[in-house]
Amino acid sequence: MSQAISANNIVKKFQLSNHETVTVLNGISVTADYGEFVSILGVSGSGKSTLLKCLSSLMVPDNGTVSVNGLDPYALKDSQLAKFRRQNISMIFQSYNLVPELPVFENIILPLRLAHKKVSKEEVTNLLRKMYFEADINAFVHTLSGGEQQKVAIARTILAGSQLIFADEPTGALDSASRQVIFDLLKQLSRQGKCVVMVTHDIELASETDRSLILKDGQIFMELHHPNASDLYAALRTDKR
Ligand SMILES: Nc1ncnc2c1ncn2[C@@H]1O[C@H](COP(=O)(O)OP(=O)(O)OP(=O)(O)O)[C@@H](O)[C@H]1O
Ligand SMILES: [Mg+2]
């Protein structure tokens, strides 16, 4: 398997006030390969979303290096970076990042339109059906429930066809049947050779990924290969502050 991501000694701090900073990531090193499904776990506020942003070219770390597809995204000019992201990366955000004023279908095909790729309505409809998406494809997304919006965000990512997929709690708002379906779709993408990095609080799903990283106090507190649920429960129990 070839390397998709390599991050070395990442530090990320946030300025809280004039006098106060908080170090959220304190020397994190991570690699992930194509064909691999990596999960990131940790208590709320442990820095999972921040790490995902640093790894996915969205947030420049204060220190350390990030290499995505063999390239340092933060060394690119803005226009190059936008192109690099479009060509390599898909992101499912914790907050969905949909365009509320656009219908479901238009939201889903937005990245494809931007990349001047062909879109088949049938492909979109088939995927949505597989995901148990019950709402109207022509509905405006602001009229959808949280779970439905999450499915739209996931469908958009899957159809974009990127080699690198970052997902921040992609199953957080879903019922248990949809949760497993969405997870299986992501897993299928990793089996097709894509690199999937997923933040989750869901231990059962994490135990079906290839590797789990557990964040605590700004560092990788534990790394589990082929994690099983009881090891993950134990790791997260000791992780309680
Ligand atoms: N832009 C910001 N400015 C200041 N502090 C921030 C910023 N972004 C994140 N933080 C702080 O960094 C810490 C980690 O946030 P982050 O969103 O990465 O946590 P998380 O592990 O994803 O949590 P959750 O499970 O609740 O999503 C939190 O204490 C948060 O308040
Ligand atoms: Mg988060």
Side-chain angles (χ1 to χ4, degrees), residues 4-5 30 32 38 40 51-58 66-69 84 88-94 153-154 157 162-170 186 195-199:
I5 303 163
V30 182
V38 177
I40 300 175
L51 175 61
L52 208 65
K53 286 178 195 158
C54 288
L55 295 179
S56 61
S57 80
L58 290 176
V66 178
S67 165
V68 179
N69 224 355
F84 176 78
N88 294 283
I89 294 173
S90 274
M91 180 95 193
I92 304 168
F93 292 91
Q94 207 167 0
I154 291 162
T157 294
S162 309
Q163 286 303 105
L164 266 154
I165 293 156
F166 295 91
D168 199 346
E169 297 190 40
L186 291 174
C195 173
V196 184
V197 182
M198 173 183 77
V199 167

Side-chain angles (χ1 to χ4, degrees), residues 112 118-128 158-159:
L112 295 166
K118 266 192 131 173
V119 186
S120 131
K121 197 154 189 168
E122 201 187 340
E123 202 181 339
V124 175
T125 321
N126 285 342
L127 176 63
L128 288 174
I158 289 171
L159 287 169

Side-chain angles (χ1 to χ4, degrees), residues 12-16 22-25 40-53 59 94 168-169 199-201 215 241:
K12 184 71 197 177
K13 299 173 184 183
F14 291 113
Q15 188 94 34
L16 296 181
V22 57
T23 304
V24 176
L25 305 177
I40 300 175
L41 297 95
V43 295
S44 225
S46 57
K48 303 180 297 296
S49 296
T50 305
L51 175 61
L52 208 65
K53 286 178 195 158
M59 186 183 270
Q94 207 167 0
D168 199 346
E169 297 190 40
V199 167
T200 187
H201 285 287
L215 287 194
R241 293 183 225 216

Side-chain angles (χ1 to χ4, degrees), residues 1-230:
M1 282 194 281
S2 63
Q3 198 165 66
I5 303 163
S6 164
N8 207 3
N9 212 16
I10 300 181
V11 175
K12 184 71 197 177
K13 299 173 184 183
F14 291 113
Q15 188 94 34
L16 296 181
S17 65
N18 280 344
H19 317 285
E20 223 184 332
T21 58
V22 57
T23 304
V24 176
L25 305 177
N26 194 9
I28 290 198
S29 299
V30 182
T31 60
D33 291 336
Y34 286 112
E36 195 180 25
F37 196 160
V38 177
S39 50
I40 300 175
L41 297 95
V43 295
S44 225
S46 57
K48 303 180 297 296
S49 296
T50 305
L51 175 61
L52 208 65
K53 286 178 195 158
C54 288
L55 295 179
S56 61
S57 80
L58 290 176
M59 186 183 270
V60 58
D62 298 311
N63 233 316
T65 56
V66 178
S67 165
V68 179
N69 224 355
L71 229 124
D72 175 359
Y74 302 111
L76 298 174
K77 290 193 202 121
D78 282 355
S79 61
Q80 291 174 319
L81 180 59
K83 190 173 171 206
F84 176 78
R85 281 192 196 127
R86 223 171 27 244
Q87 289 177 339
N88 294 283
I89 294 173
S90 274
M91 180 95 193
I92 304 168
F93 292 91
Q94 207 167 0
S95 54
Y96 316 135
N97 271 35
L98 299 170
V99 187
E101 303 80 16
L102 284 180
V104 168
F105 181 69
E106 293 298 327
N107 264 280
I108 290 175
I109 63 170
L110 202 57
L112 295 166
R113 276 215 203 287
L114 291 173
H116 306 292
K117 285 190 190 150
K118 266 192 131 173
V119 186
S120 131
K121 197 154 189 168
E122 201 187 340
E123 202 181 339
V124 175
T125 321
N126 285 342
L127 176 63
L128 288 174
R129 195 177 307 121
K130 251 201 264 177
M131 297 168 82
Y132 300 124
F133 182 84
E134 311 276 353
D136 185 351
I137 188 170
N138 298 311
F140 293 103
V141 294
H142 68 85
T143 66
L144 304 179
S145 74
E148 286 165 345
Q149 292 189 31
Q150 197 154 29
K151 288 180 184 176
V152 173
I154 291 162
R156 183 176 62 180
T157 294
I158 289 171
L159 287 169
S162 309
Q163 286 303 105
L164 266 154
I165 293 156
F166 295 91
D168 199 346
E169 297 190 40
T171 60
L174 301 179
D175 60 86
S176 60
S178 302
R179 158 187 164 271
Q180 190 66 45
V181 171
I182 300 302
F183 178 82
D184 291 344
L185 285 169
L186 291 174
K187 185 144 179 177
Q188 206 179 321
L189 295 178
S190 73
R191 294 304 169 257
Q192 289 165 4
K194 298 171 195 252
C195 173
V196 184
V197 182
M198 173 183 77
V199 167
T200 187
H201 285 287
D202 192 321
I203 286 181
E204 237 180 90
L205 293 184
S207 73
E208 295 179 47
T209 64
D210 299 317
R211 186 154 53 97
S212 292
L213 309 174
I214 295 156
L215 287 194
K216 185 192 178 186
D217 297 332
Q219 302 200 314
I220 293 176
F221 162 71
M222 199 178 281
E223 178 171 2
L224 296 166
H225 291 261
H226 308 294
N228 64 49
S230 60

